[in-house]
Amino acid sequence: MSHPFEGLPTTPTADELVDQAFSRAARAGRAKSGVQAQRSMLQTAANVASDNLENVVTSWPDFDDLDPFYRDLADAVAADALDDGVDALRKHLNEVGWAGRKAGEIRREYEGRLAGDAETARKLRKQAFARIADVVEEVGDDLQALNEARDALRTLPDVRPDEPTIVVAGYPNVGKSSFVNAVTRASNEIASYPFTTTGVHVGHVEVDRIRYQLVDTPGLLDRPAEERNEIENQAVSALEHAADAVLVLVDASGDCGYPLAAQLELRDDLEARFEVPVLTVCNKADRSRDVDADHYMSVTAEEGVDEVLQAAVAAVDYEPELPYEG
Ligand SMILES: Nc1nc2c(ncn2[C@@H]2O[C@H](COP(=O)(O)OP(=O)(O)OP(=O)(O)O)[C@@H](O)[C@H]2O)c(=O)[nH]1
Ligand SMILES: [Mg+2]
C-alpha cells in the first residue's frame, strides 16, 4: 500500500444500492414460495443494503489514526471537494453508517410481522422495501459526497511521511525540478494535488544506504503565503509534517523573472513557518552568486549539486532505527 486513500473503492450511488438489494431479493424470493418467499426477500434486501452501506464506512481509514501529513492533506482535499474538511467526511460517513443500521432495524421490525397469509406478507414486504429504499435514498447525497472526496483523495502524491524528507521550495524557474532531477536521476514520479494545476514531484535518492525523499511542490511553495488560498495553506501544513529539511532555491541572476528580494521574503516566510532546518541555496551560480546563501550551486554546470544534497542530508540528521540492536 502506498497511501491510506489509494485503495478506496468507488462509492456506489443510492440507486445502485437499491437496485442491487432488490434484484438480489427477487432472486432469493424465486427460490421459495408463500410467506417464506416474502421473508427471504425482506432479509436479502435488508442485508444487502446494510452490508453495502457498512462496507462504504469501513473502507475508509480511521481519521484519528492517520499520519498528520495525510490527515492535513485529507482536510485540504475534502475542503476543496466538499467545502469542508475531514469533519464533513466524518459527517457523511456517520450518515451512511446510520442508514446501514436502519436497514437492519427495518428487517427486524418486519420479520416479526411477516406471518399469516401470503398476500398480507407480500404487502408488508413491499412496505418494508419502500422504507429501505427511502433510507438509502436519504443518504444519496452523502454517498455522492464521499465518492467525490474519494476520487480526489486517491490521486494524492505518494509522499511517505515516515521517510526522511527534503522539501525543495523556491519561486518558479529557479531550478527546483532541475535539481530534483539531477540528484534523483530522473527517477521521480509526478503526481498532482487535486487542488493545484501543477504536479508534485517526488524523487528518491539513497545516501549512505538511507533512502531520502525529495519533494518539489510547484504551485505551493513557490510564492508568498498571502497568495495561497486556504486549501493550499492546508496542503502546506501537511508538508510541514512531512519535511525534515527545506531547501529554498534562489536565483540571484533574476533570470527566473522574480526579484531576489521577493525570493528572500519567501525564504523568510518558510523559515518562520517550518520547524525544521531551512537552507538557502543560490542556484544558477554560473550566472550570479550575488546573494548571501548557505550554499552555491549550478545544476546546469554540475557544480555544487552534490554538496547541496549532502548538506540537506546532514540537516535532516536522520537516525535510522536499528532493528538488530538488542
Ligand atoms: N544557467 C542556469 N540555468 C539553470 C540552472 N538550473 C536550472 N536552470 C534553468 O532554469 C530553467 C528553470 O528550471 P526548472 O528546473 O524548470 O525550474 P523550477 O524551479 O522547477 O520551475 P517551476 O517548475 O516552473 O517552478 C530551466 O531552463 C533550466 O534549464 C543553473 O544552475 N544555471
Ligand atoms: Mg519545476
Side-chain angles (χ1 to χ4, degrees):
M1 207 199 62
S2 301
H3 72 62
F5 301 105
E6 198 163 77
L8 271 181
T10 319
T11 316
T13 66
D15 285 347
E16 283 165 355
L17 285 180
V18 169
D19 285 352
Q20 201 197 6
F22 290 174
S23 65
R24 293 264 302 274
R27 231 181 301 148
R30 280 197 292 276
K32 304 221 165 77
S33 66
V35 176
Q36 275 313 313
Q38 301 306 321
R39 187 182 293 272
S40 171
M41 285 174 81
L42 167 69
Q43 286 166 343
T44 306
N47 289 346
V48 168
S50 66
D51 286 354
N52 282 335
L53 290 165
E54 203 175 295
N55 286 344
V56 168
V57 178
T58 54
S59 67
W60 284 78
D62 187 338
F63 297 114
D64 295 328
D65 293 344
L66 283 182
D67 181 282
F69 171 74
Y70 279 110
R71 202 187 47 227
D72 275 356
L73 220 45
D75 228 11
V77 172
D80 188 47
L82 311 176
D83 292 326
D84 195 3
V86 162
D87 285 344
L89 283 173
R90 281 189 217 268
K91 206 184 105 254
H92 294 304
L93 288 167
N94 280 339
E95 293 295 321
V96 172
W98 164 84
R101 288 190 301 278
K102 194 74 196 166
E105 276 172 32
I106 293 169
R107 188 200 57 178
R108 284 189 294 281
E109 181 189 329
Y110 280 84
E111 260 176 348
R113 295 167 66 191
L114 280 189
D117 66 292
E119 190 45 36
T120 314
R122 200 177 77 90
K123 277 195 188 125
L124 283 168
R125 190 270 299 160
K126 280 183 128 178
Q127 215 177 74
F129 269 29
R131 286 185 55 191
I132 291 170
D134 277 352
V135 164
V136 177
E137 302 291 353
E138 212 177 308
V139 294
D141 290 350
D142 302 292
L143 291 167
Q144 199 188 325
L146 288 171
N147 200 48
E148 277 164 31
R150 174 261 183 195
D151 285 347
L153 285 163
R154 264 168 46 94
T155 62
L156 286 181
D158 183 15
V159 174
R160 316 248 162 116
D162 51 333
E163 252 182 34
T165 301
I166 299 160
V167 167
V168 182
Y171 263 83
N173 261 324
V174 296
K176 300 184 297 295
S177 303
S178 303
F179 172 72
V180 173
N181 286 338
V183 299
T184 62
R185 298 199 175 70
S187 68
N188 75 67
E189 311 126 28
I190 298 177
S192 65
Y193 284 117
F195 41 82
T196 64
T197 48
T198 43
V200 172
H201 308 235
V202 182
H204 295 98
V205 60
E206 214 177 275
V207 180
D208 296 333
R209 295 175 152 205
I210 296 168
R211 208 168 99 117
Y212 293 83
Q213 179 171 245
L214 278 98
V215 184
D216 168 16
T217 60
L220 281 181
L221 297 178
D222 62 358
R223 61 214 144 100
E226 61 267 22
E227 285 178 26
R228 285 181 219 125
N229 64 33
E230 215 178 303
I231 291 160
E232 289 164 344
N233 258 315
Q234 190 69 21
V236 173
S237 302
L239 284 171
E240 278 174 52
H241 296 300
D244 297 296
V246 181
L247 294 177
V248 182
L249 269 52
V250 297
D251 173 356
S253 75
D255 280 355
C256 68
Y258 301 90
L260 183 59
Q263 298 183 53
L264 293 175
E265 242 170 75
L266 173 64
R267 188 269 319 266
D268 293 344
D269 206 51
L270 296 173
E271 221 162 37
R273 179 150 190 182
F274 280 77
E275 281 168 7
V276 296
V278 174
L279 304 181
T280 307
V281 178
C282 167
N283 186 35
K284 307 195 189 176
D286 54 308
R287 295 278 174 86
S288 168
R289 308 168 60 98
D290 199 8
V291 61
D292 186 13
D294 297 308
H295 300 277
Y296 298 81
M297 72 174 176
S298 167
V299 177
T300 46
E302 296 178 30
E303 277 167 22
V305 178
D306 198 51
E307 286 81 345
V308 169
L309 175 64
Q310 295 297 339
V313 162
V316 165
D317 196 20
Y318 183 72
E319 299 272 355
E321 281 173 37
L322 298 173
Y324 304 114
E325 224 171 37

